[in-house]
mmCIF file of all heavy atoms in Angstrom:
data_model
loop_
_atom_site.group_PDB
_atom_site.id
_atom_site.type_symbol
_atom_site.label_atom_id
_atom_site.label_comp_id
_atom_site.label_asym_id
_atom_site.label_seq_id
_atom_site.Cartn_x
_atom_site.Cartn_y
_atom_site.Cartn_z
ATOM 1 N N LEU A 1 -43.640 25.590 55.224
ATOM 2 C CA LEU A 1 -42.639 25.901 56.292
ATOM 3 C C LEU A 1 -42.058 27.206 55.959
ATOM 4 O O LEU A 1 -41.530 27.482 54.940
ATOM 5 C CB LEU A 1 -41.665 24.769 56.244
ATOM 6 C CG LEU A 1 -40.438 25.073 57.295
ATOM 7 C CD1 LEU A 1 -40.976 24.971 58.818
ATOM 8 C CD2 LEU A 1 -39.233 24.083 57.080
ATOM 9 N N CYS A 2 -42.079 28.036 57.019
ATOM 10 C CA CYS A 2 -41.264 29.312 56.971
ATOM 11 C C CYS A 2 -39.978 29.022 57.671
ATOM 12 O O CYS A 2 -39.917 29.136 58.927
ATOM 13 C CB CYS A 2 -42.047 30.488 57.635
ATOM 14 S SG CYS A 2 -41.143 31.973 57.486
ATOM 15 N N GLU A 3 -39.011 28.547 56.945
ATOM 16 C CA GLU A 3 -37.708 28.139 57.623
ATOM 17 C C GLU A 3 -36.820 29.216 58.077
ATOM 18 O O GLU A 3 -35.796 29.092 58.674
ATOM 19 C CB GLU A 3 -36.852 27.201 56.669
ATOM 20 C CG GLU A 3 -36.389 27.987 55.372
ATOM 21 C CD GLU A 3 -37.382 27.736 54.241
ATOM 22 O OE1 GLU A 3 -38.411 28.525 54.295
ATOM 23 O OE2 GLU A 3 -37.026 27.126 53.216
ATOM 24 N N THR A 4 -37.213 30.508 57.885
ATOM 25 C CA THR A 4 -36.513 31.634 58.357
ATOM 26 C C THR A 4 -37.119 32.203 59.593
ATOM 27 O O THR A 4 -36.542 33.187 60.178
ATOM 28 C CB THR A 4 -36.443 32.722 57.376
ATOM 29 O OG1 THR A 4 -37.913 33.075 57.113
ATOM 30 C CG2 THR A 4 -35.902 32.365 56.010
ATOM 31 N N ALA A 5 -38.003 31.482 60.295
ATOM 32 C CA ALA A 5 -38.595 31.958 61.545
ATOM 33 C C ALA A 5 -38.644 30.701 62.560
ATOM 34 O O ALA A 5 -38.776 29.592 62.101
ATOM 35 C CB ALA A 5 -40.072 32.526 61.331
ATOM 36 N N PHE A 6 -38.704 31.153 63.824
ATOM 37 C CA PHE A 6 -38.690 30.139 64.887
ATOM 38 C C PHE A 6 -39.532 30.687 66.081
ATOM 39 O O PHE A 6 -39.455 31.782 66.486
ATOM 40 C CB PHE A 6 -37.364 29.891 65.434
ATOM 41 C CG PHE A 6 -37.160 28.577 66.197
ATOM 42 C CD1 PHE A 6 -36.565 27.509 65.623
ATOM 43 C CD2 PHE A 6 -37.559 28.425 67.479
ATOM 44 C CE1 PHE A 6 -36.383 26.216 66.185
ATOM 45 C CE2 PHE A 6 -37.544 27.246 68.200
ATOM 46 C CZ PHE A 6 -36.825 26.084 67.578
ATOM 47 N N VAL A 7 -40.452 29.900 66.459
ATOM 48 C CA VAL A 7 -41.300 30.145 67.681
ATOM 49 C C VAL A 7 -41.136 28.886 68.605
ATOM 50 O O VAL A 7 -41.453 27.761 68.220
ATOM 51 C CB VAL A 7 -42.790 30.284 67.325
ATOM 52 C CG1 VAL A 7 -43.723 30.236 68.439
ATOM 53 C CG2 VAL A 7 -42.982 31.556 66.446
ATOM 54 N N ALA A 8 -40.782 29.054 69.879
ATOM 55 C CA ALA A 8 -40.486 27.953 70.809
ATOM 56 C C ALA A 8 -41.802 27.648 71.516
ATOM 57 O O ALA A 8 -42.752 28.494 71.480
ATOM 58 C CB ALA A 8 -39.424 28.416 71.696
ATOM 59 N N ARG A 9 -41.901 26.411 72.086
ATOM 60 C CA ARG A 9 -43.014 25.989 72.794
ATOM 61 C C ARG A 9 -42.570 24.971 73.789
ATOM 62 O O ARG A 9 -41.720 24.178 73.647
ATOM 63 C CB ARG A 9 -44.056 25.540 71.809
ATOM 64 C CG ARG A 9 -45.506 25.340 72.419
ATOM 65 C CD ARG A 9 -46.514 24.975 71.400
ATOM 66 N NE ARG A 9 -47.795 25.174 72.030
ATOM 67 C CZ ARG A 9 -49.015 24.739 71.353
ATOM 68 N NH1 ARG A 9 -48.900 24.142 70.184
ATOM 69 N NH2 ARG A 9 -50.190 24.833 71.888
ATOM 70 N N GLY A 10 -43.350 24.905 74.914
ATOM 71 C CA GLY A 10 -42.992 23.844 75.936
ATOM 72 C C GLY A 10 -43.442 22.572 75.526
ATOM 73 O O GLY A 10 -42.837 21.483 75.942
ATOM 74 N N GLY A 11 -44.530 22.442 74.849
ATOM 75 C CA GLY A 11 -44.878 21.016 74.301
ATOM 76 C C GLY A 11 -45.895 21.248 73.173
ATOM 77 O O GLY A 11 -46.213 22.320 72.716
ATOM 78 N N GLU A 12 -46.325 19.963 72.577
ATOM 79 C CA GLU A 12 -47.172 20.171 71.310
ATOM 80 C C GLU A 12 -48.708 20.427 71.697
ATOM 81 O O GLU A 12 -49.043 20.296 72.848
ATOM 82 C CB GLU A 12 -47.121 18.696 70.638
ATOM 83 C CG GLU A 12 -45.745 18.497 70.008
ATOM 84 C CD GLU A 12 -45.724 17.129 69.368
ATOM 85 O OE1 GLU A 12 -46.711 16.361 69.667
ATOM 86 O OE2 GLU A 12 -44.657 16.793 68.725
ATOM 87 N N GLY A 13 -49.343 20.903 70.750
ATOM 88 C CA GLY A 13 -50.868 21.143 70.913
ATOM 89 C C GLY A 13 -51.551 19.875 71.040
ATOM 90 O O GLY A 13 -50.876 18.786 70.821
ATOM 91 N N GLY A 14 -52.861 19.821 71.150
ATOM 92 C CA GLY A 14 -53.588 18.559 71.244
ATOM 93 C C GLY A 14 -55.076 18.837 70.797
ATOM 94 O O GLY A 14 -55.596 19.931 70.846
ATOM 95 N N ALA A 15 -55.697 17.723 70.410
ATOM 96 C CA ALA A 15 -57.082 17.784 70.016
ATOM 97 C C ALA A 15 -58.079 17.495 71.093
ATOM 98 O O ALA A 15 -57.721 16.862 72.063
ATOM 99 C CB ALA A 15 -57.355 16.868 68.751
ATOM 100 N N ALA A 16 -59.325 18.107 70.863
ATOM 101 C CA ALA A 16 -60.262 17.819 71.817
ATOM 102 C C ALA A 16 -60.813 16.231 71.568
ATOM 103 O O ALA A 16 -60.546 15.739 70.543
ATOM 104 C CB ALA A 16 -61.427 18.731 71.651
ATOM 105 N N ASP A 17 -61.577 15.835 72.467
ATOM 106 C CA ASP A 17 -62.181 14.409 72.277
ATOM 107 C C ASP A 17 -62.948 14.370 71.175
ATOM 108 O O ASP A 17 -63.840 15.123 70.885
ATOM 109 C CB ASP A 17 -63.001 14.071 73.618
ATOM 110 C CG ASP A 17 -62.225 13.767 74.786
ATOM 111 O OD1 ASP A 17 -60.897 13.614 74.655
ATOM 112 O OD2 ASP A 17 -62.742 13.803 75.870
ATOM 113 N N GLY A 18 -62.690 13.435 70.188
ATOM 114 C CA GLY A 18 -63.492 13.058 69.020
ATOM 115 C C GLY A 18 -62.913 13.799 67.763
ATOM 116 O O GLY A 18 -63.316 13.456 66.586
ATOM 117 N N ASP A 19 -62.023 14.783 68.028
ATOM 118 C CA ASP A 19 -61.661 15.667 66.849
ATOM 119 C C ASP A 19 -60.827 14.725 65.838
ATOM 120 O O ASP A 19 -60.987 14.930 64.737
ATOM 121 C CB ASP A 19 -60.800 16.796 67.421
ATOM 122 C CG ASP A 19 -61.628 18.013 67.863
ATOM 123 O OD1 ASP A 19 -62.915 17.826 67.730
ATOM 124 O OD2 ASP A 19 -61.117 19.047 68.255
ATOM 125 N N LEU A 20 -59.882 13.964 66.387
ATOM 126 C CA LEU A 20 -59.042 13.094 65.427
ATOM 127 C C LEU A 20 -59.863 12.136 64.834
ATOM 128 O O LEU A 20 -59.642 11.777 63.587
ATOM 129 C CB LEU A 20 -57.984 12.467 66.361
ATOM 130 C CG LEU A 20 -56.850 13.308 66.992
ATOM 131 C CD1 LEU A 20 -55.827 12.634 67.670
ATOM 132 C CD2 LEU A 20 -56.284 14.368 65.945
ATOM 133 N N ASP A 21 -60.940 11.519 65.379
ATOM 134 C CA ASP A 21 -61.992 10.706 64.626
ATOM 135 C C ASP A 21 -62.438 11.484 63.440
ATOM 136 O O ASP A 21 -62.704 10.866 62.380
ATOM 137 C CB ASP A 21 -62.915 10.168 65.533
ATOM 138 C CG ASP A 21 -62.351 9.281 66.662
ATOM 139 O OD1 ASP A 21 -61.233 8.617 66.395
ATOM 140 O OD2 ASP A 21 -62.978 9.151 67.710
ATOM 141 N N VAL A 22 -62.951 12.719 63.638
ATOM 142 C CA VAL A 22 -63.623 13.376 62.585
ATOM 143 C C VAL A 22 -62.569 13.674 61.467
ATOM 144 O O VAL A 22 -62.882 13.467 60.189
ATOM 145 C CB VAL A 22 -64.076 14.799 63.107
ATOM 146 C CG1 VAL A 22 -64.712 15.580 62.006
ATOM 147 C CG2 VAL A 22 -65.181 14.582 64.094
ATOM 148 N N LEU A 23 -61.276 13.969 61.882
ATOM 149 C CA LEU A 23 -60.331 14.350 60.809
ATOM 150 C C LEU A 23 -60.009 12.964 59.982
ATOM 151 O O LEU A 23 -59.949 13.020 58.786
ATOM 152 C CB LEU A 23 -59.004 14.714 61.568
ATOM 153 C CG LEU A 23 -58.750 16.119 61.879
ATOM 154 C CD1 LEU A 23 -57.513 16.242 62.578
ATOM 155 C CD2 LEU A 23 -58.763 17.049 60.646
ATOM 156 N N ALA A 24 -59.970 11.836 60.670
ATOM 157 C CA ALA A 24 -59.729 10.657 60.059
ATOM 158 C C ALA A 24 -60.899 10.208 59.228
ATOM 159 O O ALA A 24 -60.735 9.623 57.981
ATOM 160 C CB ALA A 24 -59.557 9.505 61.027
ATOM 161 N N ALA A 25 -62.135 10.523 59.409
ATOM 162 C CA ALA A 25 -63.256 10.177 58.702
ATOM 163 C C ALA A 25 -63.339 11.120 57.469
ATOM 164 O O ALA A 25 -63.691 10.750 56.326
ATOM 165 C CB ALA A 25 -64.528 10.237 59.539
ATOM 166 N N ARG A 26 -63.143 12.468 57.656
ATOM 167 C CA ARG A 26 -63.222 13.423 56.489
ATOM 168 C C ARG A 26 -62.024 13.379 55.663
ATOM 169 O O ARG A 26 -62.124 13.589 54.401
ATOM 170 C CB ARG A 26 -63.316 14.807 57.213
ATOM 171 C CG ARG A 26 -63.398 15.922 56.158
ATOM 172 C CD ARG A 26 -63.614 17.325 56.792
ATOM 173 N NE ARG A 26 -64.931 17.273 57.413
ATOM 174 C CZ ARG A 26 -65.397 18.300 58.198
ATOM 175 N NH1 ARG A 26 -64.564 19.407 58.285
ATOM 176 N NH2 ARG A 26 -66.623 18.265 58.649
ATOM 177 N N TRP A 27 -60.818 13.003 56.084
ATOM 178 C CA TRP A 27 -59.580 12.997 55.421
ATOM 179 C C TRP A 27 -58.996 11.625 55.440
ATOM 180 O O TRP A 27 -58.010 11.396 56.287
ATOM 181 C CB TRP A 27 -58.605 14.078 55.882
ATOM 182 C CG TRP A 27 -59.168 15.548 55.591
ATOM 183 C CD1 TRP A 27 -59.764 16.231 56.850
ATOM 184 C CD2 TRP A 27 -59.353 16.290 54.562
ATOM 185 N NE1 TRP A 27 -60.223 17.353 56.326
ATOM 186 C CE2 TRP A 27 -60.080 17.551 55.002
ATOM 187 C CE3 TRP A 27 -59.030 16.205 53.188
ATOM 188 C CZ2 TRP A 27 -60.329 18.532 54.087
ATOM 189 C CZ3 TRP A 27 -59.474 17.096 52.394
ATOM 190 C CH2 TRP A 27 -60.049 18.332 52.748
ATOM 191 N N PRO A 28 -59.360 10.609 54.874
ATOM 192 C CA PRO A 28 -58.982 9.145 55.149
ATOM 193 C C PRO A 28 -57.547 8.988 54.852
ATOM 194 O O PRO A 28 -56.829 8.155 55.413
ATOM 195 C CB PRO A 28 -59.786 8.298 54.283
ATOM 196 C CG PRO A 28 -60.836 9.161 53.478
ATOM 197 C CD PRO A 28 -60.524 10.598 53.979
ATOM 198 N N ALA A 29 -56.894 9.849 54.048
ATOM 199 C CA ALA A 29 -55.518 9.742 53.691
ATOM 200 C C ALA A 29 -54.549 10.582 54.546
ATOM 201 O O ALA A 29 -53.457 10.473 54.382
ATOM 202 C CB ALA A 29 -55.302 10.182 52.264
ATOM 203 N N TRP A 30 -55.243 11.314 55.457
ATOM 204 C CA TRP A 30 -54.401 12.187 56.334
ATOM 205 C C TRP A 30 -53.317 11.515 57.045
ATOM 206 O O TRP A 30 -52.123 11.866 57.066
ATOM 207 C CB TRP A 30 -55.338 13.142 57.123
ATOM 208 C CG TRP A 30 -54.710 13.596 58.235
ATOM 209 C CD1 TRP A 30 -55.061 13.465 59.695
ATOM 210 C CD2 TRP A 30 -53.503 14.647 58.282
ATOM 211 N NE1 TRP A 30 -54.041 14.171 60.509
ATOM 212 C CE2 TRP A 30 -53.351 14.874 59.605
ATOM 213 C CE3 TRP A 30 -52.868 15.300 57.256
ATOM 214 C CZ2 TRP A 30 -52.206 15.813 60.067
ATOM 215 C CZ3 TRP A 30 -51.747 16.084 57.695
ATOM 216 C CH2 TRP A 30 -51.559 16.394 59.066
ATOM 217 N N HIS A 31 -53.729 10.420 57.852
ATOM 218 C CA HIS A 31 -52.825 9.852 58.785
ATOM 219 C C HIS A 31 -51.661 9.147 58.149
ATOM 220 O O HIS A 31 -50.491 9.199 58.433
ATOM 221 C CB HIS A 31 -53.491 8.927 59.842
ATOM 222 C CG HIS A 31 -54.431 9.634 60.753
ATOM 223 N ND1 HIS A 31 -53.956 10.411 61.832
ATOM 224 C CD2 HIS A 31 -55.713 9.575 60.772
ATOM 225 C CE1 HIS A 31 -54.812 10.869 62.455
ATOM 226 N NE2 HIS A 31 -56.010 10.375 61.963
ATOM 227 N N SER A 32 -51.934 8.485 56.953
ATOM 228 C CA SER A 32 -50.947 7.838 56.100
ATOM 229 C C SER A 32 -49.979 8.877 55.461
ATOM 230 O O SER A 32 -48.867 8.641 55.379
ATOM 231 C CB SER A 32 -51.525 6.928 55.113
ATOM 232 O OG SER A 32 -52.360 7.637 54.223
ATOM 233 N N ARG A 33 -50.591 9.998 55.074
ATOM 234 C CA ARG A 33 -49.725 11.167 54.530
ATOM 235 C C ARG A 33 -48.775 11.641 55.521
ATOM 236 O O ARG A 33 -47.430 11.815 55.254
ATOM 237 C CB ARG A 33 -50.570 12.164 53.978
ATOM 238 C CG ARG A 33 -49.885 13.304 53.364
ATOM 239 C CD ARG A 33 -50.767 14.387 52.892
ATOM 240 N NE ARG A 33 -50.112 15.574 52.332
ATOM 241 C CZ ARG A 33 -50.537 16.853 52.299
ATOM 242 N NH1 ARG A 33 -51.752 17.080 52.704
ATOM 243 N NH2 ARG A 33 -49.782 17.762 51.839
ATOM 244 N N LEU A 34 -49.255 11.791 56.761
ATOM 245 C CA LEU A 34 -48.404 12.292 57.898
ATOM 246 C C LEU A 34 -47.426 11.290 58.210
ATOM 247 O O LEU A 34 -46.106 11.664 58.364
ATOM 248 C CB LEU A 34 -49.233 12.670 59.067
ATOM 249 C CG LEU A 34 -48.441 13.169 60.365
ATOM 250 C CD1 LEU A 34 -47.760 14.580 59.921
ATOM 251 C CD2 LEU A 34 -49.466 13.454 61.485
ATOM 252 N N ALA A 35 -47.799 9.998 58.246
ATOM 253 C CA ALA A 35 -46.809 9.007 58.598
ATOM 254 C C ALA A 35 -45.656 8.872 57.604
ATOM 255 O O ALA A 35 -44.483 8.736 57.751
ATOM 256 C CB ALA A 35 -47.507 7.642 58.730
ATOM 257 N N ASP A 36 -46.171 9.056 56.235
ATOM 258 C CA ASP A 36 -45.102 8.928 55.185
ATOM 259 C C ASP A 36 -44.207 10.197 55.211
ATOM 260 O O ASP A 36 -42.977 10.118 55.062
ATOM 261 C CB ASP A 36 -45.845 8.993 53.850
ATOM 262 C CG ASP A 36 -44.930 9.011 52.617
ATOM 263 O OD1 ASP A 36 -44.311 7.953 52.428
ATOM 264 O OD2 ASP A 36 -44.839 10.038 51.877
ATOM 265 N N PHE A 37 -44.718 11.282 55.671
ATOM 266 C CA PHE A 37 -43.849 12.429 55.847
ATOM 267 C C PHE A 37 -42.796 12.256 56.919
ATOM 268 O O PHE A 37 -41.519 12.603 56.779
ATOM 269 C CB PHE A 37 -44.674 13.761 56.029
ATOM 270 C CG PHE A 37 -43.982 15.030 56.165
ATOM 271 C CD1 PHE A 37 -43.828 15.908 55.092
ATOM 272 C CD2 PHE A 37 -43.358 15.510 57.437
ATOM 273 C CE1 PHE A 37 -43.151 17.075 55.160
ATOM 274 C CE2 PHE A 37 -42.641 16.677 57.532
ATOM 275 C CZ PHE A 37 -42.663 17.434 56.378
#
């Protein structure tokens, strides 16, 4: 995190269809790590 800078945005980004499934398969600990954070 660069806590000394700020960039505003109207909303969050998003993944294309199937991208999150690929992330989950390649990085099985990713979703639990994000949830823990």
